[in-house]
Amino acid sequence: MAFSSLERVQAKDEMLRLKQLVSNTSKRAFVRQMAHDIYLDGNHYSVKMNQVVLAEGTFDYITAHQLHIHLNAVGLSEHPSYQVLYKDKHYAIELRKLDSDTVSD
């Protein structure tokens, strides 16, 4: 039971990290006035600006099939939300609600 509880906490923390990654990248695009891109393929993610990799890593509980979030020079995306698999369930990342600290199971 303790392992299951720890796993839930780690999964929630990972979703919050993804939301923070998108939020911070949006702010960076705005400040630099340059478009940025976030790619998630499988569980590997990368953040790029002009094809230069700024950050990359992996997730344990989040996956997506060739997800591309393009943030324009003012930090906005043309899509209001993006779908990922979170603990094997579809989950929408609402870009308008990125400052929220809640993740539901």
Side-chain angles (χ1 to χ4, degrees):
M1 206 163 132
F3 180 74
S4 176
S5 180
L6 176 61
E7 190 174 273
R8 275 194 310 275
V9 169
Q10 290 172 331
K12 284 183 181 183
D13 179 61
E14 193 168 272
M15 181 56 75
L16 292 174
R17 285 190 306 123
L18 174 59
K19 288 181 175 185
Q20 194 66 45
L21 176 73
V22 176
S23 179
N24 288 345
T25 303
S26 174
K27 291 172 187 172
R28 182 184 173 104
F30 177 77
V31 168
R32 292 190 175 248
Q33 293 292 293
M34 296 183 76
H36 284 57
D37 296 284
I38 300 171
Y39 298 94
L40 181 59
D41 193 13
N43 69 336
H44 181 264
Y45 72 87
S46 61
V47 178
K48 296 181 181 181
M49 179 182 68
N50 291 333
Q51 298 305 316
V52 174
V53 176
L54 303 174
E56 61 184 343
T58 59
F59 293 115
D60 293 320
Y61 302 97
I62 300 170
T63 61
H65 180 69
Q66 298 182 345
L67 175 65
H68 175 210
I69 302 173
H70 177 75
L71 301 164
N72 65 21
V74 293
L76 301 175
S77 172
E78 61 188 43
H79 302 289
S81 68
Y82 292 88
Q83 292 285 324
V84 296
L85 284 175
Y86 170 63
K87 298 184 343 183
D88 297 323
K89 295 180 184 173
H90 289 280
Y91 184 86
I93 298 172
E94 301 289 335
L95 297 186
R96 288 171 272 167
K97 298 179 183 179
L98 285 179
D99 293 328
S100 171
D101 287 338
T102 61
V103 176
S104 60
D105 280 328

